[in-house]
Amino acid sequence: FDVMLIFQNYEGSNESIRLPDMNISKYNIGNSTSKYDMTLYMREEEEQLVMELEYGTKLFTQQTMERFIEHYK
């Protein structure tokens, strides 16, 4: 059972990064394959905690994950 928790809590985590002659921004690739059994992404946004959950459908049902996420509300 492999689980990863990612908590992006630095200011500007959802913004572009500007460097001399370079601009780095977030790009969603729409990954449809889970790298771990479960990954919970968390970030602070406008004084709220935003969460995204990615999970292996061979291990978990949607209903199980909905119950899981209710614990964080």
Side-chain angles (χ1 to χ4, degrees), residues 36-71:
Y36 298 95
D37 295 342
M38 182 188 316
T39 305
L40 183 58
Y41 300 91
M42 303 168 76
R43 70 181 181 279
E44 292 178 302
E45 194 172 285
E46 297 179 15
E47 298 187 28
Q48 292 185 353
L49 193 58
V50 177
M51 300 182 342
E52 296 176 32
L53 180 63
E54 181 180 279
Y55 60 93
T57 56
K58 290 185 179 180
L59 293 172
F60 304 105
T61 65
Q62 180 177 343
Q63 292 81 16
T64 300
M65 292 295 95
E66 287 172 354
R67 280 195 320 267
F68 172 80
I69 207 70
E70 283 296 318
H71 295 286

Side-chain angles (χ1 to χ4, degrees), residues 1 8 10-11 17-19 26-30 33-35 47 50 52 55 61 66:
F1 189 76
Q8 301 287 346
Y10 64 92
E11 190 172 320
I17 299 171
R18 297 185 190 277
L19 301 172
K26 180 179 175 181
Y27 180 76
N28 291 325
I29 58 172
T33 304
S34 179
K35 294 178 185 152
E47 298 187 28
V50 177
E52 296 176 32
Y55 60 93
T61 65
E66 287 172 354

Side-chain angles (χ1 to χ4, degrees), residues 13-16 24-28 43 52:
S13 64
N14 209 24
E15 299 174 6
S16 297
I24 302 171
S25 59
K26 180 179 175 181
Y27 180 76
N28 291 325
R43 70 181 181 279
E52 296 176 32

